[in-house]
Amino acid sequence: MNLVTQRMEVPETIDTIEAIQPDLDLFDEIERLKKKLNAVVLAHYYQEPDIQDISDVLGDSLQLAREAQKTDADVIVFAGVHFMAETAKILNPNKKVLLPDLEAGCSLAESCPAPLFRQFKARHPDAIVVSYINCTAEIKALTDIICTSSNAEDIIRQIPKDQKIIFAPDKNLGAYLMKKTGRELILWPGSCIVHEIFNEKKLVGLKVRYPQAEVIAHPECQESILRHADFVGSTKKMLGYSSTSATKQFIVATEPGLIHEMQKNSPEKLFIPAPINDGCACNECPHMRLNTLEKLYLCMKNQAPELTMPESLRLAALKPIERMLEMSK
Ligand code: 13P
Ligand code: SF4
């Protein structure tokens, strides 16, 4: 069985070069195309603010997967990264799934190549595999249960205590889950570049400057950052916490795209991006940020790039996603 996702041949012009009339109102055009195509635009919190604002559903990985499962639109436009659009396609084989930029990958997904993971799994034949949704369809096909950062702890707790578990691909999320649940997990050594460039020493300095501020962090961060956090959770949970907490200042340790929605929900509060290592320009996700409003418009206009995959791979990857959705109702 060929477990390699097919990527459609895309004419170069669709990607970036196709001319757009400078006076075209992209917001109006995207709204018009949504109606014409009966399309829904799903966007992750790490997208640029304009894309977040034009989306029909803005959410974290779990919310977007659920939305992809229940939508009655004919076309799903996924403003996120490749593995997210793949998940939408796995759940909707008969719908067209479009991505603004087919090259929008994920360092975490790339840190776990399927041939190496197959060997790793073979070394632990008595373990089941729980994989974070930030992985390729090929890894999902080798997995028993998928999880997201919203439901990972709950899913691990539902697995019998004597059952050995391989957790892939994020070693930081895995280490956090081990601490929270007290379970021993066999970790694949992957990580996300965006969440690994926060600097502990500078974070401590920032806390001294803003003594009232709470640190809120994503569990993809290293333990050296998480140990300073007042709250740890998925993007959606971080957003919820910042809206409901009485605190007025937050140091935010995740991709700064999330701050756009935090600030909209709580205009009176101050959100400070967590400091990063010297030499790093910023901690925007280079994959997420490949998508632009222009590319979003062009992919709807051209109905390409489209995500497709072999049916055998889709069926194999579907099982662990369905298991996750059942276990996190
Ligand atoms: P969540 O939105 O599920 O927290 O995931 C964060 C992330 O890194 C997505 O790529
Ligand atoms: Fe992947 Fe990290 Fe970017 Fe999320 S933020 S898409 S995990 S590289």
Side-chain angles (χ1 to χ4, degrees), residues 87-329:
T87 305
K89 186 67 187 175
I90 291 164
L91 290 165
N92 292 284
N94 300 322
K95 291 187 185 185
K96 190 173 258 189
V97 177
L98 302 174
L99 287 98
D101 192 322
L102 204 54
E103 297 304 316
C106 166
S107 65
L108 182 50
E110 280 157 24
S111 70
C112 190
L116 290 184
F117 186 68
R118 204 173 284 118
Q119 289 171 23
F120 181 77
K121 186 178 161 177
R123 289 210 295 273
H124 306 281
D126 49 351
I128 64 159
V129 178
V130 177
S131 295
Y132 189 31
I133 198 164
N134 300 30
C135 63
T136 61
E138 291 79 9
I139 295 296
K140 290 185 174 78
L142 295 167
T143 293
D144 297 291
I145 312 167
I146 289 295
C147 68
T148 74
S149 48
S150 267
N151 61 20
E153 187 182 333
D154 183 40
I155 284 184
I156 298 286
R157 288 190 193 280
Q158 290 180 55
I159 299 170
K161 285 212 165 59
D162 56 352
Q163 173 64 61
K164 283 191 186 158
I165 304 171
I166 293 174
F167 186 82
D170 189 358
K171 63 176 183 192
N172 293 325
L173 175 60
Y176 172 73
L177 291 169
M178 280 169 59
K179 204 171 157 191
K180 287 290 281 185
T181 63
R183 296 283 294 262
E184 197 56 45
L185 303 175
I186 304 162
L187 300 182
W188 175 266
S191 63
C192 157
I193 47 166
V194 174
H195 289 89
E196 286 213 317
I197 58 168
F198 295 115
N199 184 294
E200 182 186 12
K201 203 166 155 219
K202 289 192 195 171
L203 176 64
V204 172
L206 200 59
K207 279 178 69 143
V208 172
R209 258 180 73 200
Y210 293 92
Q212 309 297 330
E214 283 193 318
V215 177
I216 50 177
H218 195 281
E220 286 175 28
C221 294
Q222 290 169 313
E223 213 284 313
S224 58
I225 298 299
L226 296 181
R227 75 169 75 116
H228 299 285
D230 299 286
F231 179 81
V232 177
S234 70
T235 50
K236 187 178 164 57
K237 289 186 177 170
M238 290 171 76
L239 178 65
Y241 184 79
S242 71
S243 305
T244 51
S245 162
T247 306
K248 296 277 183 252
Q249 298 178 343
F250 297 92
I251 299 171
V252 183
T254 192
E255 215 271 6
L258 180 61
I259 292 179
H260 178 62
E261 190 63 12
M262 287 176 165
Q263 198 72 75
K264 268 169 96 173
N265 286 3
S266 311
E268 76 291 1
K269 296 184 182 176
L270 176 69
F271 296 98
I272 310 157
I276 57 180
N277 292 330
D278 289 337
C280 300
C282 73
N283 72 319
E284 285 180 355
C285 172
H287 309 288
M288 288 275 181
R289 301 296 178 130
L290 278 178
N291 296 330
T292 60
L293 197 64
E294 288 77 11
K295 289 186 198 170
L296 178 65
Y297 159 69
L298 288 176
C299 89
M300 293 176 80
K301 177 172 169 255
N302 296 313
Q303 296 199 45
E306 179 183 357
L307 195 137
T308 60
M309 74 176 67
E311 184 60 4
S312 54
L313 173 59
R314 189 190 74 78
L315 288 173
L318 176 63
K319 274 194 227 157
I321 298 175
E322 284 186 333
R323 200 132 176 234
M324 167 186 81
L325 293 170
E326 277 157 28
M327 288 172 82
S328 55
K329 268 180 185 151

